């Protein structure tokens, strides 16, 4: 089975949830947090491989802008056309992104603001980590 965690940018909540899924950790230290693959790498429409979980499911992340439903339908239809029988589950992590994320990503590019913005991102993760872990666990039970 293939599991795709997605959100508008696909570079914050999606990689964090995928990382939690793969590593079964509750707390991620600050140093480890910034080593999460694809964190802060905006790349719309590309499905990025994160790894395999303990059950052999392949875990991916993707940024979809506002086209999540269109992309899901298109991928499922392409799988039918090419007779691909893999089960694919799409998990929307947008609820863990925040309104001014794009603005903060832009500020992060400036060396002056980078440290402050990264502390904010990590602090936001710490605030949401219990909910994110429960969210990921809910889907892992389904798989």
């Amino acid at each position: 089975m293939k599991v795709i965690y997605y959100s508008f940018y696909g570079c914050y909540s999606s990689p964090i949830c995928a990382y939690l899924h793969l590593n079964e950790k509750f707390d991620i230290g600050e140093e480890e947090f910034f080593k999460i693959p694809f964190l802060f790498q905006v790349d719309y429409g590309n499905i990025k491989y994160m790894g395999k979980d303990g059950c052999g499911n392949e875990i991916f992340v993707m940024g979809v802008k506002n086209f999540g439903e269109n992309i899901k339908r298109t991928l499922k239809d392409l799988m039918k056309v090419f007779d691909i029988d893999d089960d694919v589950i799409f998990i929307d992590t947008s609820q863990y992104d925040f309104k001014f994320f794009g603005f903060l990503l832009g500020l992060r590019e400036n060396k002056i603001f980078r440290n402050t913005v990264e502390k904010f991102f990590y602090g936001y993760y710490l605030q949401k980590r219990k909910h994110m872990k429960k969210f990921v666990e809910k889907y892992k039970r389904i798989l």
Side-chain angles (χ1 to χ4, degrees), residues 5 8 42 51 58 85-86 108 117 128 131 136:
Y5 287 96
F8 186 93
V42 178
E58 294 177 291
D85 287 334
D86 288 347
R108 184 179 173 271
V117 172
K128 298 293 183 181
H131 299 286
V136 170

Side-chain angles (χ1 to χ4, degrees), residues 8 12 17 22 24 27 43 50 53 58 71-72 74 84 92 94-95 103 110 117 121 135:
F8 186 93
Y12 184 73
C17 287
L22 291 168
E24 299 183 16
D27 286 322
D43 191 10
M50 291 284 290
D53 69 8
E58 294 177 291
I71 289 172
K72 289 187 327 190
T74 301
I84 299 171
D92 184 0
S94 297
Q95 65 186 339
F103 174 72
N110 187 320
V117 172
F121 282 136
F135 178 77

Side-chain angles (χ1 to χ4, degrees), residues 108-137:
R108 184 179 173 271
E109 296 301 316
N110 187 320
K111 290 180 183 179
I112 296 170
F113 299 113
R114 186 179 197 99
N115 192 35
T116 303
V117 172
E118 286 185 351
K119 286 197 181 300
F120 174 82
F121 282 136
Y122 183 66
Y124 188 77
Y125 156 72
L126 290 176
Q127 184 182 21
K128 298 293 183 181
R129 68 181 176 212
K130 289 180 185 177
H131 299 286
M132 293 175 100
K133 185 64 176 172
K134 286 180 185 176
F135 178 77
V136 170
E137 289 297 323

Side-chain angles (χ1 to χ4, degrees), residues 12-59:
Y12 184 73
S13 62
S14 301
I16 294 170
C17 287
Y19 190 81
L20 290 170
H21 182 118
L22 291 168
N23 294 292
E24 299 183 16
K25 289 187 170 191
F26 177 69
D27 286 322
I28 302 172
E30 189 170 355
E31 187 176 317
E32 183 181 3
F33 178 80
F34 290 104
K35 291 181 182 177
I36 293 175
F38 310 116
L39 192 68
F40 307 127
Q41 296 176 13
V42 178
D43 191 10
Y44 301 113
N46 290 322
I47 301 172
K48 300 173 188 173
Y49 181 73
M50 291 284 290
K52 279 191 178 182
D53 69 8
C55 299
N57 300 313
E58 294 177 291
I59 310 301

